């Protein structure tokens, strides 16, 4: 139920509610009526509003790879014509159309929605909500059908052989299906987002305190993902990082970005996972709006089980790969920091911001190169760079 200040009745007896909607990457508060408005209808508590079945099995892994190569600009000249034709055809597929309707806030809708767009949408609560309502049919990763992977062999590098071997070991589907009568024989199945499913049945009191919460644990890791896009950094740090990364790559170094903008919800999860794992009382963790987590696990008698609570928090610490106590507010939550690993730079020459060439023999010289671009190394945290070294 909504609080009193978010609902009213007009002189004609029509009831109105103030709700949040997604608009231009942000959130708008609007009033909706219970009658006479297109797209607005009553739903029962058992309804599944907003969920949709999407068929993602209408194209092959090979076609998906060809599309990826075109959209990311990695397509080879000899393949460009045929790969582009595939990309244009897939723009009208059920999955791509559904993704654009759910999270593409631009007017372009050109069929080029990409994994980075999905990652960015997952940092915006209303767009992440729309994604969680998609029930997508595709061939399970546990499928033993090796031919779908073999189709990529001619397009891959030497690392692909190892990945193929790992994938072959994962193909247990037919073995299980042969032993359990009710298990689907066809590995092309629908996949539902677990938190979208749980969230659909969670209600709240007028006070806003959740009635149902999801226990802490490693299953929280996919929620509120940290962005890896440089575009999510704030200016002028964004431009400085792009210049720095461009110079590194032009000089032959390899750069792998692990994190840029971190949603405050994820910072909350990481902060209190570390605290509870270290002995903080899980019952004292404050609630955070939009994060329906219960840090306190119970024993069979309904009492708080500190050992189980700490074990779940420790699982979160491990999966988040936390090495230092995470802050609730940081340069990452402000869009002023980036975690990236840089390799293959020793002994190479790179251009400083002022145009001078510099040979980089070690990490200290690399940090000085970053300084010239306004990208400052935090020496105690190997992958961490920011606009002020914090």
């Amino acid at each position: 139920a909504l609080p009193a200040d978010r609902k009213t009745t007009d002189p004609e007896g029509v009831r109105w509610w103030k709700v949040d909607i997604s608009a231009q990457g942000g959130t708008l508060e609007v009033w909706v009526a219970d009658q006479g408005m297109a797209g607005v209808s009553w739903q029962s508590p058992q309804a599944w509003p907003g969920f949709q079945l999407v068929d993602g099995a209408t194209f092959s892994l090979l076609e998906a790879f060809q599309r990826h190569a075109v959209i990311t600009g990695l397509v080879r000249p000899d393949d460009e014509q045929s790969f582009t034709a595939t990309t244009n055809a897939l723009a009208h597929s059920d999955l791509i159309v559904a993704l654009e309707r759910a999270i593409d806030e631009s007017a372009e809708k050109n069929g080029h929605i990409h994994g980075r767009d999905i990652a960015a949408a997952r940092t915006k609560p209303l767009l992440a909500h729309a994604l969680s309502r998609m029930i997508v049919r595709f061939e399970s990763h546990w499928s033993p059908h090796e031919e779908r992977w073999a189709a990529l062999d001619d397009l891959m590098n030497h690392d692909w052989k190892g990945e193929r071997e790992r994938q072959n070991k994962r193909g247990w589907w037919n073995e299980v299906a042969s032993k359990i009568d009710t298990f689907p024989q066809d590995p092309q199945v629908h996949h539902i987002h677990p938190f979208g499913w749980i969230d659909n049945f969670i209600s709240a009191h007028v006070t806003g305190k959740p009635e149902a919460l999801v226990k802490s644990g490693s299953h929280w890791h996919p929620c509120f993902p940290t962005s890896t896009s440089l575009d999510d950094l704030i200016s002028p740090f964004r431009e400085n990082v792009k210049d720095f990364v461009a110079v590194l790559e032009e000089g032959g170094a390899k750069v792998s970005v692990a994190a840029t903008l971190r949603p405050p919800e994820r910072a909350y999860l990481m902060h209190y996972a570390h605290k509870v794992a270290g002995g903080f009382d899980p019952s004292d963790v404050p609630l955070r709006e939009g994060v329906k987590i219960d840090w306190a696990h119970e024993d069979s008698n309904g009492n708080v089980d500190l050992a189980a609570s700490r074990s779940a928090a420790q699982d979160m610490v491990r999966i988040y790969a936390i090495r230092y106590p995470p802050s609730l507010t940081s340069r990452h939550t402000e869009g002023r920091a980036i975690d990236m690993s840089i390799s293959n730079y020793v002994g190479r020459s790179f251009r400083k911001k002022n145009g001078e060439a510099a040979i980089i023999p070690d990490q200290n010289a690399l940090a000085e190169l970053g300084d010239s671009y306004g990208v400052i190394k935090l020496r105690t945290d190997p992958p961490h760079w920011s606009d002020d070294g914090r």
Side-chain angles (χ1 to χ4, degrees):
L2 291 175
D5 62 348
R6 295 181 70 89
K7 56 186 177 181
T8 189
T9 303
D10 66 23
E12 297 180 0
V14 177
R15 289 178 292 179
W16 293 79
W17 288 265
K18 183 187 284 188
V19 298
D20 297 332
I21 64 169
S22 176
Q24 298 299 319
T27 302
L28 289 180
E29 289 187 332
V30 299
W31 286 92
V32 297
D34 65 349
Q35 56 184 279
M37 294 189 72
V40 178
S41 63
W42 281 102
Q43 300 286 335
S44 79
Q46 288 74 41
W48 290 54
F51 282 87
Q52 59 175 321
L53 295 176
V54 179
D55 193 353
T58 58
F59 51 87
S60 66
L61 276 177
L62 175 60
E63 291 171 318
F65 178 85
Q66 292 171 344
R67 177 181 181 273
H68 170 79
V70 171
I71 293 174
T72 57
L74 299 176
V75 62
R76 297 179 297 200
D78 292 346
D79 297 322
E80 187 168 5
Q81 184 175 357
S82 61
F83 283 21
T84 300
T86 299
T87 301
N88 293 339
L90 296 190
H92 305 289
S93 67
D94 193 34
L95 177 59
I96 302 304
V97 171
L99 283 170
E100 286 193 328
R101 287 175 178 170
I103 65 173
D104 189 352
E105 298 179 298
S106 71
E108 198 170 356
K109 301 290 192 295
N110 61 3
H112 280 201
I113 201 162
H114 187 260
R116 57 177 173 263
D117 302 309
I118 296 174
R122 290 169 65 189
T123 67
K124 302 173 182 177
L126 289 175
L127 297 185
H129 181 274
L131 280 175
S132 74
R133 265 52 182 172
M134 294 176 63
I135 304 176
V136 185
R137 175 179 173 265
F138 58 87
E139 188 164 0
S140 170
H141 295 300
W142 314 120
S143 167
H145 296 163
E146 183 182 353
E147 62 274 10
R148 59 182 178 146
W149 302 101
L152 301 176
D153 286 352
D154 293 339
L155 300 170
M156 295 299 184
N157 59 25
H158 62 278
D159 295 329
W160 177 239
K161 182 179 178 181
E163 178 57 33
R164 279 283 308 279
E165 292 175 353
R166 285 190 292 272
Q167 182 56 40
N168 290 340
K169 294 178 181 178
R170 299 185 189 116
W172 50 256
W173 191 278
N174 287 353
E175 181 181 356
V176 175
S178 66
K179 298 177 181 178
I180 303 177
D181 293 339
T182 56
F183 196 85
Q185 299 297 309
D186 187 351
Q188 291 194 358
V189 292
H190 285 91
H191 297 73
I192 186 169
H193 193 298
F195 282 92
W197 178 74
I198 293 171
D199 182 68
N200 186 60
F201 299 106
I202 292 180
S203 60
H205 295 294
V206 174
T207 61
K209 184 177 180 180
E211 289 179 339
L213 299 173
V214 179
K215 295 297 183 183
S216 58
S218 59
H219 47 269
W220 277 94
H221 182 257
C223 301
F224 314 108
T226 298
S227 174
T228 58
S229 172
L230 304 187
D231 290 329
D232 288 332
L233 300 171
I234 65 170
S235 185
F237 186 59
R238 174 176 59 244
E239 292 77 17
N240 293 342
V241 170
K242 287 185 175 182
D243 290 344
F244 182 41
V245 170
V247 162
L248 289 170
E249 293 179 337
E250 288 170 4
K254 295 182 179 179
V255 180
S256 178
V257 178
T260 54
L261 180 66
R262 177 173 297 142
E265 294 87 353
R266 193 174 186 85
Y268 163 85
L269 290 171
M270 295 176 69
H271 176 81
Y272 282 105
H274 186 269
K275 290 199 69 171
V276 173
F280 188 80
D281 190 333
S283 301
D284 291 337
V285 177
L287 294 174
R288 180 181 176 86
E289 184 178 357
V291 186
K292 299 173 182 177
I293 186 172
D294 187 356
W295 297 94
H297 293 238
E298 293 88 23
D299 58 24
S300 58
N301 296 320
N303 300 315
V304 174
D305 187 332
L306 291 177
S309 302
R310 288 169 185 165
S311 176
Q314 288 164 357
D315 288 342
M316 296 175 71
V317 168
R318 280 190 290 269
I319 199 167
Y320 284 128
I322 297 172
R323 297 178 58 191
Y324 304 96
S327 173
L328 283 173
T329 57
S330 69
R331 294 297 180 259
H332 276 296
T333 61
E334 297 169 350
R336 298 170 54 192
I338 180 172
D339 286 352
M340 57 182 172
S341 60
I342 305 170
S343 60
N344 202 39
Y345 62 84
V346 174
R348 294 180 180 271
S349 177
F350 301 93
R351 175 173 44 83
K352 291 185 176 181
K353 183 69 173 178
N354 62 9
E356 295 179 359
I359 303 294
I360 306 300
D362 53 33
Q363 292 183 357
N364 289 331
L366 181 66
E368 292 176 3
L369 178 66
D371 288 349
S372 75
Y373 286 89
V375 183
I376 315 301
K377 185 76 187 73
L378 178 58
R379 305 298 177 103
T380 58
D381 189 350
H384 188 83
W385 305 70
S386 67
D387 62 355
D388 62 357
R390 295 173 56 190

